[in-house]
Amino acid sequence: MVETATSPVKSAMRTLDIIEYVVARDRAVVAQEIAAALAIPVSSLSYLLNTLVERDFLVRDGRRYVAGPGLERLQARTHNFSIAERAAPLVRSLRLQINETVSFFVRRGWEMEAIVTESSDHALRYAVQIGSLTPLYCYSAGKALLASMPEAEFARYLAESDRPAVTPATITDAQALSEDIAEIRRTGIAYTRGESTPGITALGRAVVVDGEAVGAFAIAIPSVRFDHDLEQRAVELLMTTSALLAR
């Protein structure tokens, strides 16, 4: 009974994610991109795409798909999608692929705001509150945003920001933080290890469009589950997902 009940729900969620992804791109999208972005097996994706085309929610042009006339009655608008609307299906996909808490943050001055989040379904998990403002220096997404700043702006951040220790592991010293940011600029991935919440390891990556960071993805993992294989998986997914949003 559980499998029978779950399968239609999963199929429905995938269908909605496909619609949201194609519409938010505002350009023609090939099936391979949809499959990679939303982690949908090709066999399942082909069936869902055919159904959406049949219902006029999508239009097929060769190997590419665009929003179809059937969406007009569902869409409030067709342009100027917010960054939250563009990031939401990718956050959901990332959470499904790794089953850890995934969030997307945007910068607000010397702080950042969570605008999209999906929690892990593990009993032991990290939770993020939508709309919450948090400092940049002790969260992985915040460090990723700091690393995307021009040197002059980062220097101003160091001079103007208050950086109290949130946990014993928090990096507050300007020189130590600068060295950490330099490493993030080199690798493209930011880490925090218990710096904002004891027992939580997090990875973050900024999304840069036309030389400016529009936000950052973060994956928060309880340290008891964090190992080399999970770390490598998280890094790969962050790289892929941030590139998709930046396109």
Side-chain angles (χ1 to χ4, degrees):
M1 288 295 293
V2 173
E3 291 182 358
T4 303
T6 301
S7 181
V9 172
K10 187 174 183 180
S11 180
M13 290 180 62
R14 283 175 166 172
T15 302
L16 292 172
D17 283 344
I18 291 169
I19 293 172
E20 290 183 356
Y21 186 83
V22 173
V23 171
R25 299 282 77 73
D26 201 22
R27 57 174 172 78
V29 183
V30 297
Q32 291 89 334
E33 178 182 337
I34 300 171
L38 303 181
I40 301 176
V42 174
S43 57
S44 299
L45 179 63
S46 178
Y47 170 79
L48 295 173
L49 287 174
N50 287 337
T51 300
L52 289 169
V53 169
E54 290 174 1
R55 298 293 296 271
D56 287 329
F57 290 126
L58 296 181
V59 172
R60 183 190 291 115
D61 181 14
R63 295 174 56 249
R64 298 178 181 275
Y65 296 84
V66 296
L71 290 176
E72 291 180 2
R73 64 182 180 273
L74 305 177
Q75 290 176 281
R77 58 191 184 281
T78 56
H79 299 286
N80 298 322
F81 287 89
S82 70
I83 189 65
E85 290 169 322
R86 293 179 183 274
L90 294 172
V91 168
R92 284 194 293 271
S93 172
L94 192 48
R95 204 287 296 173
L96 286 170
Q97 292 178 79
I98 200 165
N99 196 18
E100 298 293 349
T101 296
V102 179
S103 306
F104 187 80
F105 298 83
V106 293
R107 185 180 152 198
R108 305 294 190 209
W110 295 148
E111 295 180 304
M112 64 179 183
E113 177 186 356
I115 61 171
V116 183
T117 189
E118 291 283 334
S119 295
S120 162
D121 62 12
H122 289 294
L124 178 61
R125 60 182 179 267
Y126 184 73
V128 175
Q129 183 179 353
I130 291 291
S132 59
L133 291 174
T134 48
L136 298 174
Y137 66 97
C138 57
Y139 289 84
S140 62
K143 287 187 178 183
L145 292 170
L146 287 174
S148 70
M149 290 180 181
E151 285 288 357
E153 187 176 17
F154 178 60
R156 186 162 65 87
Y157 170 80
L158 291 176
E160 296 179 0
S161 64
D162 294 323
R163 300 184 299 278
V166 180
T167 75
T170 306
I171 299 174
T172 60
D173 177 72
Q175 181 59 37
L177 183 58
S178 296
E179 292 172 358
D180 197 9
I181 295 304
E183 178 65 10
I184 296 166
R185 286 172 174 160
R186 186 183 70 81
T187 65
I189 298 293
Y191 287 84
T192 52
R193 298 173 174 85
E195 294 172 44
S196 61
T197 305
I200 296 295
T201 298
L203 298 83
R205 180 169 171 80
V207 177
V208 178
V209 178
D210 296 330
E212 182 177 349
V214 297
F217 289 100
I219 302 174
I221 306 169
S223 299
V224 294
R225 282 200 299 273
F226 189 79
D227 58 22
H228 176 74
D229 290 343
L230 186 56
E231 177 184 8
Q232 291 302 112
R233 179 68 173 148
V235 169
E236 292 169 2
L237 289 171
L238 283 171
M239 291 286 194
T240 301
T241 304
S242 60
L244 285 167
L245 185 57
R247 290 177 62 173

